Amino acid sequence: MNIILLGPPGAGKGTQAQRLVDNRGMRQLSTGDMLRAAVGAGTPIGLKAKAVMDRGELVSDEIVSELIDAELAAMDADSGAIFDGYPRTAAQAGMLDTILASHDRKLHKVIELEVDEDALVDRITGRFTCANCGAGYHDRYKQPETEGVCDVCGSTEFKRRPDDNEETVRTRMQEYRAKTAPILPIYEQRDLVERVDGMASIDEVSEAINGLLR
Ligand code: AP5
Ligand code: MG
């Protein structure tokens, strides 16, 4: 199964994608994670993307679509893909159709995480991840079981994203409203959209998504 998780910054796309990876053996294809890896490695794509990401604006459609194409090319044909943070524009939605067809895949569902935007700034500014394995945490909603120690790998190093400050988050929200939310009707017309209450607890949201994938 190939699915898109759609929702504004902080909606829980990455958190839920990780659950699906753990529980269903699907693959998470997060263009944000791919871009951050490129920035960290100082590749030409990373050098181009860094300033754009720090401002909270969108990187070019061509760059992110090439990243997705390359990941799909390297994947087993029978692993399902979770598109997390892609597509984000109408142009990317068109590119994804072409890319999926070229890999003999089709899109099964678009799951929209419906959230209250006012709560998202709080979710995002409290977020941190394990610097070693990338497991996600939150200052208030998801602390490691032992303070300062990653539940998954035991590392004691954590990090925060440079774009997780209030000003950049506001720009990211505006970009979502202006460019990403308008792609929903494309998928509605194809009868692919399912909606989940993203304000429920992390476990409840996972349960709802699992129910849709049965
Ligand atoms: P990207 O990395 O995709 O960021 P984003 O869309 O802004 O989304 P986030 O990763 O911030 O949120 P999320 O929905 O994954 O939430 P999470 O699960 O972490 O993109 C970053 C940048 O890269 C973009 O701004 C752009 O510049 C560029 N980019 C990326 N893709 C692009 C594309 N396709 N085209 C162009 N440019 C692109 O959850 C957030 C926090 O809340 C966590 O701490 C979590 O523990 C907590 N939480 C999650 N769910 C719940 C819940 N149900 N209850 C309580 N807390 C919760
Ligand atoms: Mg994310």
Side-chain angles (χ1 to χ4, degrees), residues 13-15 28 30 33 36 84 127 161:
K13 304 181 294 292
T15 303
Q28 175 186 14
S30 158
D33 287 349
R36 280 183 288 280
D84 160 5
R127 168 170 60 188
R161 277 168 46 176

Side-chain angles (χ1 to χ4, degrees), residues 10 12-15 31 36 57 59 85 88 92 127 161 172 200:
K13 304 181 294 292
T15 303
T31 40
R36 280 183 288 280
E57 295 167 7
V59 174
R88 257 175 152 97
Q92 289 178 28
R127 168 170 60 188
R161 277 168 46 176
R172 285 159 57 196

